[in-house]
Each structure stands twice: as structure tokens, then as C-alpha cells.
Amino acid sequence: MPDTPIPVAVIIGSSRNGRFGPTVAQWFVGEARQRDDLALDVIDLADVPLSMAGPTRPPAPEMAQVLDTVSPRIDRADAYVVVTPEYNHSFPAVLKNAIDWHLSQWRAKPVGFVSYGGIAGGLRAVEQLRQVFAELHAVTIRDTVSFHGGVQSFDPQGRPKEPQGCSAAAKTMLDQLVWWATALREARAKRPYHA
């Protein structure tokens, strides 16, 4: 267990009307908050109005204001968990846009995934996200949490219908996330990472 809790940004990667992401994220955050080794910050991309015409360097003044609110939160995190649906065998454009507006923040930090949707449970979106995060020098966690069938996997109160399996998957993923976050934080302190 790390000496201090690992700051983890949980990113809700969907912004559609009627989206199911907040329900999945709320369950996951409830699981993660049972641990003493994590300090969570939930970033809902529906609340982050980044221009889809970007990213631009330097950003336009209105985007600089948005980035001033979200970028420090992403930068402060030593690890990330992305909650993503699968749209057309991929991940949402709003998620890719948020990732692309940030570069150095992801470097030498671990990223875990919670996915949902369809018979694949969002895993095709996760596999594509692994390639994106590898390009940004992030380390993706092998084990994931996935909900096959999406909405059908939850009861009307927003709880998984089969909680044992997904709770065990969340514990495994979070154990790995903490290990990587601790190791990479120590490594960055000893030798700053340069891409």
C-alpha cells in the first residue's frame, strides 16, 4: 500500500443525451471508495466543453479557460480510470477529443478501463484506447471491468445484477492500477520522464 493515497481521475467518456455512463461510473466510484489507497476525482466530459475543432496550440482564449479548469485535475492524477461505452466498435469522439487536448499529462502514468455496451461489453473500444494511450506514453492496465449488454447488466436502482463478478474485476484492476501508479510515481520522482 502506498504511503499516501494515489490521486486517480475517473473520466466519464460519454456526453450523449440519455447516456448510461454516469450509472456505470457511480457504481465504480462506490467500489473504489471502499479502498484507503485511492483519492478519486470524477471528471465528467459532459461538463467539459472542449472545442471539437481542436486541439489547437496555443488554444483560443475560450478554450484556455476550459483547459484551466480541467487540465490541472488531469495533471494532478497519478492514475486514470476511463469509463467508456462502445459506439460503432469504437469509443466516443468526446473522449478522443479530451485525450488529444492533453499530451504530457498522460505520460508515464497508468490507465485502467471500465467499459460497457453490447455483446462485446465495450472491449473493442478499450482495445482502441490502448493504442491511443500507448502513443501518449501511458501504461494501460491489462485487466478491465466490462459490462456486456450495458443497461441490461444493471437493475433499476443502478446496481449490477451480478455484483460478485464485476466487484472482483474492479478489485483486480484497481490492485494493478495502484501497483503501476506507485511504481511510476517513484520512477518519475527519481528520473523525470521525457517523451
Side-chain angles (χ1 to χ4, degrees):
M1 184 157 153
D3 295 335
T4 59
I6 301 291
V8 177
V10 177
I11 300 170
I12 303 175
S14 173
S15 61
R16 281 186 178 178
N17 289 335
R19 66 201 170 117
F20 192 61
T23 300
V24 177
Q26 183 176 10
W27 167 81
F28 174 76
V29 167
E31 294 288 306
R33 284 206 170 122
Q34 297 176 38
R35 302 174 64 113
D36 296 330
D37 53 359
L38 303 174
L40 304 176
D41 179 16
V42 178
I43 300 172
D44 188 341
L45 294 183
D47 300 329
V48 182
L50 289 169
S51 169
M52 294 297 280
T56 58
R57 310 270 191 263
E62 63 275 7
M63 282 305 99
Q65 288 182 324
V66 174
L67 290 168
D68 284 347
T69 63
V70 72
S71 297
R73 295 170 68 191
I74 292 174
D75 195 38
R76 266 193 304 273
D78 281 333
Y80 309 95
V81 174
V82 174
V83 179
T84 184
E86 181 178 311
Y87 296 161
N88 301 319
H89 289 208
S90 189
F91 53 91
V94 69
L95 178 54
K96 180 66 161 71
N97 190 48
I99 293 167
D100 288 349
W101 273 102
H102 300 88
L103 297 173
S104 61
Q105 290 87 349
W106 314 110
R107 290 180 188 153
K109 295 180 182 179
V111 182
F113 301 100
V114 178
S115 65
Y116 58 95
I119 60 171
L123 293 175
R124 291 175 289 210
V126 169
E127 289 310 307
Q128 291 184 26
L129 281 165
R130 290 184 192 283
Q131 296 175 48
V132 172
F133 280 111
E135 180 64 19
L136 295 167
H137 299 262
V139 176
T140 59
I141 302 303
R142 184 223 178 263
D143 290 283
T144 63
V145 182
S146 63
F147 292 96
H148 302 265
V151 176
Q152 292 78 24
S153 301
F154 285 73
D155 67 19
Q157 289 73 41
R159 297 179 303 235
K161 292 179 180 175
E162 298 180 16
Q164 294 83 7
C166 54
S167 292
K171 181 186 181 318
T172 297
M173 186 265 284
L174 287 170
D175 286 347
Q176 293 174 8
L177 189 79
V178 167
W179 188 94
W180 278 105
T182 303
L184 291 170
R185 179 166 63 182
E186 292 170 359
R188 288 192 315 272
K190 290 178 184 173
R191 179 183 289 175
Y193 185 86
H194 299 289

